[in-house]
Every structure is written in C-alpha cells, then in structure tokens.
Amino acid sequence: MDEDRIKIVLPDNRVITLKEFFEETERAHKELAKLSFEDKVRILVKLQEIARDWGQKKDVLVWKI
Amino acid sequence: MKHTLIVLNEMKEKGLFRDYAIGGAMAALRWTEPFFTQDLDIFIILQKEIREDEIINLSALYEYLKNKGYEWSGQWIIIEGIPVEFIPAEGLAKEAVEYGVDIEFEGVKTRVVSPEYLIALFLSAGREKDKIKVRLLLDQADIDKEKLEIILRKYSLYNKFERFKDSG
C-alpha cells in the first residue's frame, strides 16, 4: 500500500495522505503523553467507567478521585 | 487519588515502610498517553533488609489500614476509593524506588518510578502487557538513553532489550 498516494478527508475537510494521517495520529498520541498526571488520572477514570458500563468488565472498580 | 497519596505519605512518616514509589501501569501512565488500568501498584522499601530465605510480613501495614477502616477487594486494599497493591521492592525495584522522580499530585508530594527503570522492570517481567508498555514508553516518554543502558547492563537486561527492539 502506497501511503504517500492514498488520500483521506478529515472531519475538518482537510485532505491529507495516509502517511500524513499516520504521522498526525502519532503526534496526537505524543501530545496526550504531555498532559498533566492529574488530567491523565481523570481520563483513566472515564476509561474505567466505559469499561464497566459498555465493555465486558462489570467487575471494574471505578476510582473515586 | 490525592487522598490515597496522603495516606501513603502518612504510612511512610509512621515508619510502616522506609520509602515508596508509584510503579507499574500508573507510573507508566505518568510518562505516556492515558490507558486503561485498574490498580495502583506501590513499591515499598521495608525498614529491614529482605533476606533471600525470609518470609515477607506486611501484617503491620495491613493492620494499620484495617484499623483506619479500609477494606480488601480481591488482592487489593481500597484506600480512599482506589485499589492499591503493595509490592515489597528488592534489587532492581528497590533501586527504582530510590531513584524515583519526586512529583506532586494536586499539591501532594509523591514519587513515581522513572521511565528508564520502568522499562527495565517491564522487560524483566516480560509479559505481553509489559512489552506494550515498554513500546509506549520508548515512543512517548523522554528517555535518558545513557541512564537506561547503565540500568539494563547492571541487571543483565541489555540483550533482552536489544532483542525486544529488533522484534519490531
């Protein structure tokens, strides 16, 4: 698959190549890594709620923070 | 979480352990993007050196928490709404606590294992879920490569690390 040639339309109507799309995704993950520990813990609690309410993990203990 | 850390700091002050650091997935999460995990691993250095043939006794620590009204759920003790697991630290883990990074969480002082020591610890454990965290740390955390190499060589993990990197 030629990631340089295949293009994708983003929700904001930008058209980028698949290669650029993967690079943007990578950058977004790295940006998330820069969040404060407090913000990450708040996101973690949301993930625990999703796992409990939507996933197959009814026994998940959702942290009380 | 803030109140859990306050309890941990109180326990350290009372001498229930000599030192502690957040380890495991929560420590990794400090250095990477957020991901799902359920418990808070706390690596503790006990007051007394652990001998090889010794049975580790954490009853004083558990008794203290029980007297404060905290309850068990499976292998975890729920401290201020968060499932905590205490892991006595020896060798690499002990060094990871000693060289942990002092941080604050909502104004409460705590310590977290550094990304370099986490990589060594996860490599040492070697489970699939540990390898995923090593990958995340290598991709997203600021790693001191020189420091990492020293740790890996000291604990005979360097070849394992090289093989891990080669495996893609």
Side-chain angles (χ1 to χ4, degrees), chain A residues 26 29-30 32-35 37-44 47-48 51 57 59-65, chain B residues 1 26 29-39 73 76 78 80-83 103-106 139-140:
Chain A
E26 183 104 340
H29 285 290
K30 283 183 180 164
L32 280 172
K34 289 180 195 159
L35 289 173
F37 199 23
E38 286 88 342
D39 283 341
K40 290 179 185 179
V41 171
R42 281 188 273 275
I43 292 170
L44 168 63
L47 292 173
Q48 291 169 342
K57 292 174 175 273
D59 56 346
V60 166
L61 293 164
V62 177
W63 291 14
K64 298 181 186 82
I65 54 167
Chain B
M1 173 111 162
M26 279 307 291
L29 185 139
R30 168 65 180 80
W31 309 109
T32 70
E33 65 184 303
F35 56 83
F36 177 82
T37 187
Q38 292 203 71
D39 61 347
S73 173
W76 300 307
I78 312 297
E80 298 294 329
I82 292 183
I103 61 164
E104 282 195 10
F105 185 93
E106 293 178 349
D139 285 348
Q140 299 179 356

Side-chain angles (χ1 to χ4, degrees), chain B residues 72-95:
Chain B
W72 266 260
S73 173
Q75 76 264 41
W76 300 307
I77 182 155
I78 312 297
I79 304 177
E80 298 294 329
I82 292 183
V84 176
E85 187 157 34
F86 289 98
I87 302 161
E90 263 307 301
L92 170 60
K94 186 180 177 189
E95 202 177 293

Side-chain angles (χ1 to χ4, degrees), chain A residues 22-33:
Chain A
F22 289 138
E23 284 167 357
E24 283 212 6
T25 306
E26 183 104 340
R27 266 198 299 278
H29 285 290
K30 283 183 180 164
E31 283 304 309
L32 280 172

Side-chain angles (χ1 to χ4, degrees), chain B residues 44-62:
Chain B
I44 53 172
I45 299 179
L46 300 174
Q47 295 292 1
K48 258 176 52 184
E49 286 280 315
I50 303 169
R51 288 196 314 271
E52 248 180 52
D53 56 349
E54 197 177 6
I55 296 169
I56 297 163
N57 187 351
L58 300 179
S59 57
L61 184 153
Y62 293 146

Side-chain angles (χ1 to χ4, degrees), chain B residues 100-117:
Chain B
V101 181
D102 292 323
I103 61 164
E104 282 195 10
F105 185 93
E106 293 178 349
V108 178
K109 287 189 167 67
T110 188
R111 182 175 285 185
V112 63
V113 173
S114 74
E116 295 82 9
Y117 275 99

